């Protein structure tokens, strides 16, 4: 279904104006990414990682496993809702066919390239994938091939993703200094 116009967020904020829509989207996404990053570093995030690794042990330690899972599910749904609203408003179009299985697979590949389990893995993978896709579409007819080779290269030489490579370089000692 085609939207007649972009939704209005606040009086005076014309989301039909592209730069305004960009800045509003950025103002929503950056704090959400920061909050998710902080949540993974907090006790809540550590409890979720413990539940992911060994649910029975966390239950035996007295953690309210079901409640924590529900909270995580609700938060993930809220973030997905914001992303869906931005997608619909940005495209001026809403349809279930927008999320064909190939689109879902592309999103998974972006996360793998960026780094699964990393706070910034998804955004880094999306930025790298979309940038290379746009550049390669201009210069190559078979632009999927280099992107496939990138995925294979990341799987072989950077299995924890590109975000992990950046984190490893940042924590590496300077040459000539004792670790």
């Amino acid at each position: 279904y085609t939207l007649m116009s972009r939704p209005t967020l606040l009086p005076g904020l014309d989301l039909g104006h592209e730069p305004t829509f960009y800045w509003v989207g950025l103002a929503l996404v950056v704090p959400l990414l920061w909050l998710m990053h902080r949540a993974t570093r907090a006790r809540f995030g550590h409890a979720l990682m413990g539940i992911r690794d060994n649910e029975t042990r966390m239950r035996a330690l007295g953690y309210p496993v079901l409640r924590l899972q529900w909270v995580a599910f609700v938060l993930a749904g809220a973030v997905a809702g914001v992303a869906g609203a931005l997608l619909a408003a940005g495209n001026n179009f809403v349809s279930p066919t927008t999320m064909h299985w190939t689109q879902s697979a592309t999103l998974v590949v972006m996360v793998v390239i960026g780094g699964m389990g990393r706070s910034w893995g998804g955004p880094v993978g999306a930025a790298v994938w979309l940038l290379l896709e746009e550049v390669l579409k201009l210069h190559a007819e078979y632009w999927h091939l280099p992107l496939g080779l990138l995925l294979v290269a990341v799987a072989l030489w950077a299995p924890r993703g590109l975000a992990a490579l950046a984190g490893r370089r940042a924590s590496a000692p300077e040459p000539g200094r004792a670790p």
Side-chain angles (χ1 to χ4, degrees):
Y1 302 101
T2 302
L3 302 177
M4 295 303 217
S5 64
R6 284 195 176 151
T8 303
L9 188 62
L10 295 170
L13 274 180
D14 179 21
L15 296 183
H17 186 243
E18 289 295 326
T20 304
F21 180 74
Y22 170 80
W23 289 110
V24 167
L26 192 64
L28 289 171
V29 170
V30 169
L32 277 174
L33 288 173
W34 182 79
L35 285 172
M36 290 186 333
H37 176 74
R38 294 293 300 150
T40 59
R41 302 290 185 258
R43 288 178 49 188
F44 173 72
H46 288 285
L48 287 178
M49 287 186 277
I51 291 169
R52 176 197 62 201
D53 293 341
N54 193 334
E55 185 177 331
T56 306
R57 179 179 293 160
M58 294 302 285
R59 192 171 276 122
L61 288 171
Y63 284 89
V65 170
L66 188 60
R67 185 178 312 146
L68 289 169
Q69 288 174 328
W70 273 103
V71 169
F73 180 76
V74 168
L75 291 174
V79 170
V82 170
L86 287 173
L87 178 68
N91 292 338
N92 283 335
F93 183 75
V94 178
S95 171
T97 59
T98 305
M99 289 306 292
H100 191 261
W101 72 267
T102 55
Q103 180 65 23
S104 298
T106 302
L107 296 173
V108 170
V109 168
M110 288 176 183
V111 171
V112 168
I113 288 172
M116 293 185 300
R118 303 253 170 218
S119 297
W120 298 100
V124 166
V128 168
W129 181 271
L130 293 173
L131 179 70
L132 286 175
E133 181 181 9
E134 291 302 318
V135 168
L136 291 171
K137 279 182 180 179
L138 295 175
H139 301 292
E141 184 177 346
Y142 300 105
W143 56 271
H144 284 95
L145 180 64
L147 290 174
L149 293 174
L150 170 67
L151 179 61
V152 170
V154 167
L156 291 175
W157 293 296
R160 294 176 49 190
L162 298 178
L165 288 177
R168 187 169 62 198
R169 285 200 177 125
S171 63
E174 294 179 25
R177 294 186 72 192

